[in-house]
Amino acid sequence: MISPLKLAQTVDETQIAEFFQESVGHWRSERRYYTLPEGETKEMESLITIRFLEPGCDELQNLGLLHNLPNSVSLICGAEVTWDSTNVLKDRKESQGSTLFGVLGNILYRDRGFATSKPVTAKYYFPNTKTLCLRTEYNGSVFEEELKLIGSKYRTRQTIISRASEQLMIGQYLEKRIES
């Protein structure tokens, strides 16, 4: 007999694998960041590529090592996300890079965070099959993210960054698939 907790984790792991697979492809992301409480706005456009990572692949094994997971523990799936971002208002390249995500239970292991190059973990859950919610905490900050698949051609994202229970920034994104 499977315990209810294990069954719930298995459902989440299946959902996140399906979510990652549905996100595979090339996307154009239009982003707007609001700095609070001043309200300063930053507009970004990014080209994003998402690749699904199969269990046992080199990237997931290396991610497990970064997080000091025992050799007997394997991440069940993951995604590699690469980006190239331009500041729309200043018409200049802002950043480019990549990050890895790996899944085990209800934890998402990342090789880097939003505001750090160090490995971080996030707790995730699905309020419905097309919406992934993440909560990441490090360096006294909390990052709450919601990613929502809308049909096969669109995704929306929202990020709220807080410190000491005070919201510092809100990021809102519309992502359009440019090819699978």
Side-chain angles (χ1 to χ4, degrees):
M1 179 177 192
I2 297 174
S3 74
L5 178 59
K6 182 60 179 166
L7 183 60
Q9 289 178 343
T10 303
V11 169
D12 283 349
E13 288 174 345
T14 300
Q15 283 184 312
I16 199 161
E18 289 172 1
F19 190 90
F20 284 161
Q21 288 169 332
E22 288 183 52
S23 297
V24 166
H26 301 283
W27 300 83
R28 178 178 311 283
S29 178
E30 298 169 5
R31 306 169 176 217
R32 182 171 279 171
Y33 296 98
Y34 301 95
T35 303
L36 306 173
E38 299 85 19
E40 180 184 327
T41 303
K42 183 177 190 179
E43 291 188 36
M44 304 289 290
E45 185 174 283
S46 301
L47 296 177
I48 297 171
T49 300
I50 301 173
R51 184 171 65 95
F52 183 74
L53 299 176
E54 297 284 345
C57 71
D58 290 343
E59 293 92 334
L60 290 180
Q61 289 178 1
N62 291 334
L63 186 57
L65 291 174
L66 271 178
H67 284 276
N68 298 313
L69 295 176
N71 290 337
S72 61
V73 173
S74 296
L75 298 170
I76 63 111
C77 72
E80 176 190 51
V81 179
T82 59
W83 69 88
D84 189 5
S85 299
T86 302
N87 184 317
V88 174
L89 300 176
K90 295 182 179 178
D91 193 30
R92 72 169 192 233
K93 290 284 184 194
E94 189 84 11
S95 71
Q96 66 182 56
S98 67
T99 189
L100 298 174
F101 300 86
V103 177
L104 186 62
N106 67 341
I107 303 293
L108 190 65
Y109 293 83
R110 300 171 68 166
D111 67 338
R112 59 177 294 134
F114 183 79
T116 181
S117 59
K118 295 180 180 175
V120 299
T121 60
K123 291 186 177 176
Y124 76 89
Y125 68 95
F126 284 89
N128 62 63
T129 59
K130 299 295 184 186
T131 305
L132 170 63
C133 294
L134 308 171
R135 181 180 174 92
T136 311
E137 298 183 39
Y138 57 87
N139 297 338
S141 295
V142 176
F143 303 82
E144 295 174 289
E145 300 176 79
E146 178 187 88
L147 296 88
K148 182 179 280 195
L149 293 167
I150 302 170
S152 63
K153 295 183 182 178
Y154 300 97
R155 294 184 353 154
T156 58
R157 291 174 49 200
Q158 180 165 280
T159 303
I160 301 171
I161 303 171
S162 305
R163 183 183 288 269
S165 298
E166 182 178 335
Q167 291 73 34
L168 302 177
M169 181 178 286
I170 298 172
Q172 295 182 314
Y173 319 68
L174 174 61
E175 298 177 342
K176 300 173 189 173
R177 188 183 298 275
I178 50 179
E179 74 182 73
S180 298

